[in-house]
Amino acid sequence: MAVAGERPGRPAGPGPGPGLGEEPFSPSVLGTREHWDAAYERELQTFQDIGDAGEIWFGEESMVRIIRWLEKQKVPLDSSVLDIGTGNGVLLIELAKSGYVNLTGIDYSPSAIQLSEKVREKEGMSNIKLKVEDFLAPSAELSGFEICIDKGTFDAISLNPDNAAGKRKQYVRSLCSVLKPEGFFLITSCNWTKEELLNEFREGFEILEELPTPKFCFGGRIGNSVTALVFQRKKVRPSILDKLD
């Protein structure tokens, strides 16, 4: 599950955020499971027809950005990595090609997992683990990851017509349950600014780094069309998960 493009519900580019009590985005079909099931069913058929794995969300540069950061930090190649909303699984393929060996991808769309399995088979990357999982209701075995990566899934959840604010809070709770204390969370978003993401993940996480992304000029101001941040999960304190309720 992923989403790319302009910021639905408000103009792209720098500008004031939502007012007090307002939801940051208008609800969209991009936030529904039905949309992604249909989208990945089409992409699965296309792959079966012509071998095209489909769109790379945020472009190839987004994958390069993530891999370069992991390499810069000398993250061990056997570190456990979870791709949240893996879609066609192409990011996991690139991570495997870079030498990472403990890779898991989840998506709540069965068609997405079917597609990523086909791509995995084509690339001969049998060590990549793929599961149908709803990140907002993770299974007990989905835990203990040292790295979690999100390219657009938090964006899509934020557009859900049914209690998006509650689902965003549940996302943070799920992230706390699957990511080890002091583990790294890399998020790429086209909907949220750095300041907004800092606020969304203020409980349980601290910002480590903002990764460079393409800039543009809008109304005489310089902004980013994409935000890419690296968070680290704080050491566990008894009150942290309680604060997220």
Side-chain angles (χ1 to χ4, degrees), residues 86-89 92 103-107 112-120 125 127-132:
T86 193
N88 57 18
L92 294 173
L103 303 171
T104 301
I106 62 168
D107 204 292
I113 294 301
Q114 290 176 42
L115 174 60
S116 57
E117 288 172 342
K118 295 285 187 183
V119 174
R120 177 184 64 181
M125 301 292 186
N127 59 314
I128 296 174
K129 297 180 284 290
L130 298 165
K131 303 178 181 179
V132 177

Side-chain angles (χ1 to χ4, degrees), residues 167-186:
K167 286 178 168 58
R168 297 199 311 270
K169 290 182 179 180
Q170 180 56 50
Y171 182 102
V172 179
R173 284 193 289 267
S174 294
L175 188 59
C176 285
S177 74
V178 305
L179 184 63
K180 284 184 174 180
E182 300 186 281
F184 299 117
F185 172 53
L186 292 82

Side-chain angles (χ1 to χ4, degrees), residues 12 22 44 65-66 68-69 81 85 98 103 119 125-126 161 167-168 180 202 214 219 221 223 237 240:
E22 293 180 12
L44 178 60
R65 187 186 304 125
I66 290 167
R68 282 180 177 170
W69 187 86
V81 179
S98 297
L103 303 171
V119 174
M125 301 292 186
S126 59
K167 286 178 168 58
R168 297 199 311 270
K180 284 184 174 180
R202 67 189 180 277
R221 299 173 65 187
R237 293 180 300 180
I240 282 292

